[in-house]
Amino acid sequence: MTRRLFLALMVLVASFVAASLVQAQEGFPSDDDVNAIARKLYCPVCPNTPLDVCETKACQDWRAQIRNQLAGGWREEQIIDYFVVQYGERVLAEPERGGFTSLVWLLPVIALALGLVVVGQALRSWRAGREAQAEPVQPQPEVPPETLAKIEKELRELA
């Protein structure tokens, strides 16, 4: 009986220890948490390389810093703002949507709209040209010789 009681007590203690280990690990950020933020930043050394895939020492240090900041309770916006303050907006994978950088977001839409207008105009003129060709050409009536003689006489008098 004491043996069963001892085993039950050991199982109970082991479950509490396991639960506390799981809770302790929940506070430590995973690689996915770090890469979710690193994906929004660019490598300071390599041009046009996202931080989450770059293997330089600088990027490894940045990811470690992100992990420490997450473990310290920093939010994603705070971490990104920290890197922007330290290194400038060039580290952002996606430029902020405001001021002059809003053109980055608006120009493709404007270009698409202009392209659609140009294509629409081209189709209209193409259709009008085809319709004009489809209409039969009416022959011009011949001018009687008396009328031509009269016009020539008036022209000579004017000159």
Side-chain angles (χ1 to χ4, degrees), residues 2 21 29 58 63 72 83 99 105 109 121-122 142 151-152:
T2 58
L21 287 176
R63 286 192 297 268
F83 282 101
W105 302 103
V109 174
Q121 292 294 330
E142 280 193 37
I151 292 172
E152 286 178 11

Side-chain angles (χ1 to χ4, degrees), residues 61-156:
D61 292 343
W62 277 26
R63 286 192 297 268
Q65 186 174 2
I66 292 171
R67 184 180 308 280
N68 291 337
Q69 289 170 335
L70 284 172
W74 288 38
R75 293 186 327 270
E76 178 178 331
E77 296 85 23
Q78 290 174 315
I79 295 170
I80 291 174
D81 289 343
Y82 169 81
F83 282 101
V84 169
V85 167
Q86 294 294 318
Y87 303 99
E89 286 190 21
R90 64 185 175 89
V91 299
L92 291 176
E94 187 175 290
E96 293 184 18
R97 298 179 187 191
F100 183 71
T101 57
S102 61
L103 286 178
V104 172
W105 302 103
L106 292 177
L107 284 179
V109 174
I110 292 170
L112 179 66
L114 288 175
L116 289 174
V117 167
V118 167
V119 168
Q121 292 294 330
L123 288 175
R124 281 190 193 131
S125 67
W126 181 55
R127 256 193 215 151
R130 290 188 74 187
E131 289 172 0
Q133 288 177 355
E135 293 177 7
V137 178
Q138 296 179 356
Q140 296 292 327
E142 280 193 37
V143 181
E146 303 89 32
T147 308
L148 284 176
K150 195 177 194 182
I151 292 172
E152 286 178 11
K153 180 182 172 188
E154 287 179 7
L155 286 174
R156 279 191 219 124

Side-chain angles (χ1 to χ4, degrees), residues 18 23 30 56 64 115 144 146:
Q23 275 186 334
S30 69
T56 63
E146 303 89 32

